[in-house]
């Protein structure tokens, strides 16, 4: 099993995603002789998982069922154990595009954190690229190494435990892109410039506060970066659902015109907007925004090495 090389069959030692519903899923490490408890009952790894195909519908001990999915960076972002605050798919998608990443790219990242962005970067640069990720916290760095090994991507990533603001990334003049997610990114701009290739490399800094952005932009200008710009992404989710509205009473004068649209005497066509006209209502699909919208997560500052 690998997050970048997809297989058909669940094997002992794989990481799999147990899918109970769009709002309920979690990762498990498949191990012979192990069981996993769900609200639908027990899943026995030896008989219910190992040897089955990814995407299989598995019946639990209480009669309910779940799907077993192959892990992807997107699913991992939704289910990973949080060691730090993470980046989500909305920001990750823009980062990978604006940094102009592709298979074969060399990327430097700091800090590694929970590895949400790291997995997406690894898949983007695979199979011939490489990620150099730096984590200040020793335990988080060790945990990241362990996860990359379990996920079959350790050959595509190098994890270093050091202070990027003092010691840099450990590489020089090879990176196509640098990503910074640290409290004081302006202190690492010089090291980022040293890590980037001679000309045209891209840099991105993620910061939650505008004061951090201001200091970072000043440092980028000082080190000769160009095309400096800052973006903020606000995601608004819509629910598509069926809505029933009462047919308005337009009076006798409108009966002749309205009868063609809402004929209560003839049979209703299935799927027709006026299928419920006999009950005095009409149904249609509508996109309704959620009452609560996730607001500010962070500012993304991009620049190019001149």
């Amino acid at each position: 099993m690998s997050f970048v090389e997809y297989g058909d069959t669940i094997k002992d030692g794989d990481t799999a995603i147990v899918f109970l519903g769009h709002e309920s899923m979690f990762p498990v490490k498949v191990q012979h002789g192990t069981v996993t408890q769900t609200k639908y009952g027990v899943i026995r790894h030896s008989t219910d998982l190992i040897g089955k195909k990814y995407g299989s519908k598995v019946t639990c001990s209480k009669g309910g069922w779940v799907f077993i999915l192959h892990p992807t960076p997107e699913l991992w972002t939704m289910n990973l154990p949080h060691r730090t605050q993470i980046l989500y798919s909305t920001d990750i998608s823009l980062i990978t595009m604006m940094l102009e990443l592709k298979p074969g790219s060399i990327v430097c990242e700091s800090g590694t954190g929970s590895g949400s962005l790291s997995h997406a970067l690894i898949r983007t640069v695979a199979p011939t690229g490489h990620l150099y990720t730096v984590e200040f916290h020793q335990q988080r760095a060790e945990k990241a190494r362990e996860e990359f090994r379990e996920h079959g991507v350790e050959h595509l990533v190098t994890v270093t435990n050091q202070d990027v603001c003092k010691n840099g990334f450990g590489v020089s003049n090879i990176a196509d892109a640098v990503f910074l997610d640290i409290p004081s990114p302006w202190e690492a701009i010089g090291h980022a410039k040293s890590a980037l290739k001679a000309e045209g490399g891209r840099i991105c800094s993620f910061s939650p506060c505008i004061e951090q952005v201001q200091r970072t932009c000043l440092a980028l200008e000082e080190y000769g970066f160009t095309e400096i710009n800052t973006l903020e992404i606000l995601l608004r989710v819509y629910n598509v659902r069926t809505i029933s509205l009462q047919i308005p009473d337009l009076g006798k004068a409108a009966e002749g015109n309205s009868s063609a649209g809402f004929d209560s005497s003839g049979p209703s066509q299935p799927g027709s907007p006026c299928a419920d006209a006999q009950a005095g209502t009409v149904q249609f699909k509508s996109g309704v925004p959620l009452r609560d919208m996730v607001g500010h997560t962070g500012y993304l500052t991009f620049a190019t090495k001149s």
Side-chain angles (χ1 to χ4, degrees):
M1 187 278 305
S2 171
F3 272 53
V4 296
E5 299 172 359
Y6 299 105
D8 292 330
T9 306
I10 304 171
K11 299 180 177 64
D12 189 13
D14 282 4
T15 298
I17 306 297
V18 179
F19 181 89
L20 292 83
H22 289 289
E23 301 298 328
S24 179
M25 62 184 92
F26 59 90
V28 295
K29 183 174 181 180
V30 179
Q31 293 178 311
H32 185 77
T34 303
V35 298
T36 297
Q37 294 283 351
T38 74
K39 64 182 180 180
Y40 301 126
V42 171
I43 300 173
R44 296 174 175 83
H45 294 201
S46 301
T47 57
D48 297 333
L49 299 183
I50 297 175
K52 299 292 181 64
K53 288 185 176 295
Y54 279 107
S56 296
K57 185 178 180 179
V58 173
T59 303
C60 304
S61 62
K62 293 182 180 179
W65 47 266
V66 299
F67 288 104
I68 307 300
L69 305 181
H70 196 293
T72 65
E74 291 83 3
L75 289 174
W76 187 244
T77 291
M78 297 170 63
N79 295 282
L80 59 78
H82 285 231
R83 300 183 289 273
T84 59
Q85 178 61 37
I86 68 170
L87 289 177
Y88 289 93
S89 298
T90 307
D91 290 314
I92 291 172
S93 59
L94 185 67
I95 291 168
T96 54
M97 185 189 75
M98 294 294 287
L99 289 182
E100 302 173 4
L101 302 182
K102 60 185 182 299
S105 295
I106 306 297
V107 187
C108 292
E109 175 197 27
S110 183
T112 312
S114 301
S116 174
L117 176 64
S118 304
H119 282 81
L121 294 176
I122 290 169
R123 184 184 59 180
T124 303
V125 304
T128 56
H130 201 83
L131 172 66
Y132 294 89
T133 182
V134 178
E135 173 57 51
F136 176 78
H137 193 273
Q138 182 179 357
Q139 285 74 25
R140 287 201 293 262
E142 292 173 353
K143 186 60 178 177
R145 288 194 193 97
E146 179 185 342
E147 285 182 349
F148 293 142
R149 184 170 57 253
E150 291 178 352
H151 297 166
V153 296
E154 71 276 8
H155 61 292
L156 297 170
V157 56
T158 299
V159 182
T160 305
N161 172 220
Q162 64 187 29
D163 186 349
V164 70
C165 296
K166 294 180 179 178
N167 306 114
F169 293 94
V171 297
S172 299
N173 302 318
I174 65 169
D176 297 288
V178 169
F179 176 79
L180 299 173
D181 183 6
I182 54 178
S184 53
W186 55 89
E187 296 181 1
I189 299 300
H191 294 297
K193 184 176 182 180
S194 299
L196 286 168
K197 59 187 181 182
E199 187 176 353
R202 294 279 286 167
I203 185 174
C204 174
S205 173
F206 177 89
S207 297
C209 301
I210 196 64
E211 292 81 6
Q212 294 171 303
V213 174
Q214 291 170 334
R215 295 189 66 174
T216 302
C217 289
L218 290 174
L220 288 169
E221 288 184 339
E222 180 182 346
Y223 280 95
F225 283 85
T226 59
E227 300 178 337
I228 302 171
N229 64 90
T230 298
L231 305 174
E232 179 186 27
I233 304 176
L234 300 178
L235 179 65
R236 190 173 189 183
V237 179
Y238 279 74
N239 276 342
V240 177
R241 62 187 186 185
T242 302
I243 293 180
S244 296
L245 291 180
Q246 206 169 19
I247 298 174
D249 182 5
L250 302 178
K252 291 184 179 181
E255 284 182 0
N257 296 328
S258 62
S259 60
F262 301 102
D263 184 4
S264 59
S265 60
S268 299
Q269 297 296 325
S272 169
C274 39
D276 293 333
Q278 293 179 356
T281 62
V282 60
Q283 292 186 337
F284 60 94
K285 295 290 184 182
S286 176
V288 181
L290 301 180
R291 291 182 179 273
D292 298 323
M293 186 183 85
V294 176
H296 172 75
T297 57
Y299 300 102
L300 293 169
T301 299
F302 296 92
T304 304
K305 183 177 178 180
S306 177

